[in-house]
Amino acid sequence: MDSSSRQLPLRVKQGYTTGARSLASRSVRGLARTRVTPNALTAAGVSLCLAAAVIVPFENRDKLLYYWLGAAIFVVGSILDILDGALARVGGKSTPFGAFLDSTTDRVGEGAMLAAIALVFARSADDTAVVFTVAAVAGSFLVPYVRAKAEALGLRGDVGLGSRAERVVVITAGLVFAPWGGLPWAIYFLAATAWLTVLQRVLYVRKQLMHGGTNVGER
């Protein structure tokens, strides 16, 4: 495989990441002129993600209703979590604490939803899916950790396709197709891509250190 083929996934990721950031920035321009703060959006986003995590385990009453309702609320909460960063950039409201809070609540919302999904699997005695959900939680938490440690060394650690945006899409798709047995497969895929991304980032950091690179990636 030549270098251009290896760079294709990175170019694709950079393309839709840039597009998503541009769309988010345009969406919050009006909001930036109000008193709404990025931290308020962060709080609203994580609250909705936690609410979605509470709803999903009620799937035993009505799978279509509770899975889809949980998916919808989780998506809205995740979108608000994306918009808080855009609001901070557009409105000049970025603060170190805001960035710290945003990163922390990302883990809370995602971890809560995966815990709710693990409960669903445990209740149905699907031990394999429970194990993969635990692996998905660990991998999902390690992905941003590896990036943060890389950037603390003055290196880039933003490679790989298993970042938070992709994980939100996979979890949401799993919930949408859960009434037809799609949730375990989404979790298997999530765990695999999360750990693959961790490996990609570790190897990328090693490559930079071997070549003496000190480029800091965008946050």
Side-chain angles (χ1 to χ4, degrees):
M1 182 181 293
D2 57 26
S3 60
S4 61
S5 298
R6 290 193 298 268
Q7 291 298 318
L8 181 59
L10 179 59
R11 290 199 297 270
V12 171
K13 178 179 174 62
Q14 289 174 338
Y16 70 70
T17 298
T18 300
R21 285 182 175 176
S22 176
L23 178 61
S25 296
R26 291 196 299 270
S27 301
V28 299
R29 283 173 185 167
L31 196 61
R33 293 190 288 270
T34 69
R35 295 184 178 181
V36 175
T37 65
N39 288 350
L41 286 185
T42 299
V46 71
S47 297
L48 287 175
C49 289
L50 290 173
V54 171
I55 288 171
V56 165
F58 286 97
E59 52 80 31
N60 56 346
R61 299 185 180 183
D62 187 324
K63 291 186 180 297
L64 195 63
L65 172 62
Y66 287 99
Y67 274 135
W68 282 24
L69 182 60
I73 294 175
F74 182 67
V75 166
V76 173
S78 299
I79 290 174
L80 290 180
D81 191 57
I82 293 172
L83 293 180
D84 61 1
L87 178 61
R89 291 190 296 271
V90 172
K93 301 177 180 179
S94 298
T95 64
F97 177 73
F100 168 79
L101 181 66
D102 182 30
S103 179
T104 302
T105 54
D106 284 352
R107 311 287 83 75
V108 172
E110 188 176 348
M113 177 53 75
L114 289 173
I117 291 172
L119 175 60
V120 171
F121 290 147
R123 195 161 53 198
S124 60
D126 190 342
D127 294 340
T128 300
V130 171
V131 170
F132 271 90
T133 305
V134 173
V137 172
S140 298
F141 280 27
L142 276 173
V143 167
Y145 176 81
V146 172
R147 175 175 176 172
K149 293 299 290 185
E151 293 180 351
L153 295 173
L155 305 170
R156 290 185 59 183
D158 55 352
V159 299
L161 294 176
S163 60
R164 186 168 188 271
E166 290 85 1
R167 295 197 302 273
V168 168
V169 170
V170 172
I171 292 172
T172 303
L175 292 173
V176 169
F177 291 101
W180 301 281
L183 188 55
W185 295 104
I187 294 300
Y188 300 155
F189 182 75
L190 180 66
T193 53
W195 280 98
L196 176 60
T197 301
V198 171
L199 178 61
Q200 287 177 305
R201 293 186 172 185
V202 169
L203 293 177
Y204 190 57
V205 168
R206 180 176 181 271
K207 179 180 177 180
Q208 292 174 85
L209 290 172
M210 290 176 64
H211 289 84
T214 55
N215 293 323
V216 180
E218 288 187 2
R219 293 184 181 274

